[in-house]
Amino acid sequence: MFSKTIPISEAIPGMRLMESVYVTNSSGVKMLVARKDSVLDASVIKSLSSRVKTIDIQTKTPPPGWVPPEEPAEPPPAPSAPAIIKERPKPEKIVPIKAVVNEKLKEEAVDSVKQLFGEVSPDGQMNKTTAYQCVNNLEGVVGDLLHVLEDDMTGLVHINDLKQYDEYTYHHSLSVSVLSIATGKELGLDSATLFRLGRCAMLHDLGKQMIPLDVINKNGKLTDEEFALVKNHATLGAESLKKNAIGDVELWNGMMFHHEKVNGFGYPKQLKGKDIPLFSKIISVTDVYDALTSYRSYRSPMLPTEAFEIILKDVNTAFDYEIVKAFLAKLELYPINTIVELSNGKLGIIIPGSTNKLRPYVRLWGSTDILVLERVTDVNITKILSPADLPEGYETE
């Protein structure tokens, strides 16, 4: 197979990339927009057309002047096979990943969401006295989250330590709140606005309590009727709070419109661009990122880079460019000390040094060797591991 460089204007569906395509955004961050060996389709070509002038594709036609190498008259003798010695990987001392939210605050946040969500009946009714108390508890937690994030000198956030397989809805609410506050902070919102944003993000999926659980967790494609039910959750949640005189228009609209898209093809009102509330536009990005990178009953999580590439492809169609830019600026895709599995079969540990969040520095397991992913195209991170997930032979000190 040979490589051929062509103008992006000559690209057609079905062509296969010989090399990965990267672009550098306005912040100087190098981003992967199409992976090596990807087969081009109309959407990928459209995305690349606005970013690059040429691409390298695979072709069976040799370049002009190419001469095939001469075959030796007789093949060289095969070397004698050496004895195979499988060296046991050296144990590693595992350093914990720095938590964004301490365990106590995380438990308080999840409990406060669970208590409020538990007050919602299928028809949206609540016991107002209990609901007000639950909201007060939740607002206290949001205030604590805001203090933690404002005091963090690094300014970066991740949600790896907030992931739980069970009780997805409650942990998802916490993750979306953390990511939304961080994004809002990057956008320059003041503390009072960040508090209201965090509260809105914590409550954005309240309406799912009014959708049958077997539909929410269905392992397979939803029917048209089921999908219509799920799409209604944003409206149901906002109307439930409004009906019970909890919150205000900013909160209700932020919740109701978090599935709108900037191109007008979202729901429930098909709002466009500037007509979508700021809180909704922020939550739409953080909601999708956390959902894609979370364990669900019907699928495994995506890698942070895979999820972010999906978001990048939908910039200016589903998502607002400035918000995605702020989101990436605050997001730590692979926190320092994360254990990762690589496409070459090796294990490694994320270390500081790289300015490319999508292609971090990886120290190979039990070694001082460092793999600089931003300088290679044939090795990628394929999995994030916990110490309990280590393959046989890999030990910790």
Side-chain angles (χ1 to χ4, degrees), residues 100-113:
V100 175
V101 179
N102 65 50
E103 199 64 30
K104 182 175 182 294
L105 181 52
K106 180 169 72 174
E107 290 178 3
E108 290 177 356
V110 171
D111 286 345
S112 68
V113 175

Side-chain angles (χ1 to χ4, degrees), residues 107-146:
E107 290 178 3
E108 290 177 356
V110 171
D111 286 345
S112 68
V113 175
K114 189 187 303 186
Q115 288 169 7
L116 179 60
F117 281 31
E119 288 297 317
V120 184
S121 64
D123 62 357
Q125 293 295 334
M126 301 181 187
N127 179 305
K128 289 189 177 181
T129 302
T130 309
Y132 281 130
Q133 182 60 53
C134 290
V135 170
N136 286 336
N137 292 341
L138 184 141
E139 290 179 341
V141 168
V142 173
D144 291 340
L145 284 176
L146 182 58

Side-chain angles (χ1 to χ4, degrees), residues 92 340 342 344 346-351 361-371 379 394:
E92 276 277 1
V340 294
L342 302 171
N344 60 9
K346 296 182 179 180
L347 262 60
I349 298 171
I350 303 298
I351 62 171
Y361 286 6
V362 180
R363 180 177 59 77
L364 299 182
W365 183 279
S367 166
T368 57
D369 294 342
I370 296 173
L371 181 61
V379 181
Y394 288 86

Side-chain angles (χ1 to χ4, degrees), residues 28 66 107 173 222 227 229 263 342 347-348 362 393:
W66 180 82
E107 290 178 3
S173 299
L222 298 175
F227 187 48
L229 273 176
N263 64 0
L342 302 171
L347 262 60
V362 180

Side-chain angles (χ1 to χ4, degrees), residues 189-246:
L189 303 183
D190 59 51
S191 294
T193 307
L194 289 175
F195 170 80
R196 300 195 305 275
L197 169 62
R199 180 184 62 171
C200 184
M202 199 80 85
L203 294 170
H204 78 283
D205 270 347
L206 179 68
K208 286 188 175 178
Q209 295 302 108
M210 290 164 257
I211 309 295
L213 193 59
D214 59 338
V215 174
I216 295 293
N217 292 329
K218 183 176 179 179
N219 187 2
K221 186 176 180 180
L222 298 175
T223 65
D224 291 343
E225 293 78 11
E226 290 169 338
F227 187 48
L229 273 176
V230 172
K231 286 173 64 176
N232 204 29
H233 79 273
T235 300
L236 290 174
E239 289 182 346
S240 176
L241 292 183
K242 185 176 182 179
K243 181 164 47 179
N244 289 281
I246 296 174

Side-chain angles (χ1 to χ4, degrees), residues 177-195:
S177 185
V178 168
L179 294 173
S180 296
I181 291 172
T183 304
K185 184 179 176 183
E186 178 67 15
L187 290 169
L189 303 183
D190 59 51
S191 294
T193 307
L194 289 175
F195 170 80

Side-chain angles (χ1 to χ4, degrees), residues 18-22 30 32 35-36 343 359 372-380:
M18 176 61 78
E19 300 293 344
S20 296
V21 180
Y22 293 87
K30 190 176 182 183
L32 176 69
R35 197 179 299 281
K36 178 181 179 181
S343 57
R359 306 286 288 174
V372 182
L373 288 179
E374 62 184 344
R375 296 181 188 170
V376 299
T377 58
D378 57 346
V379 181
N380 302 295

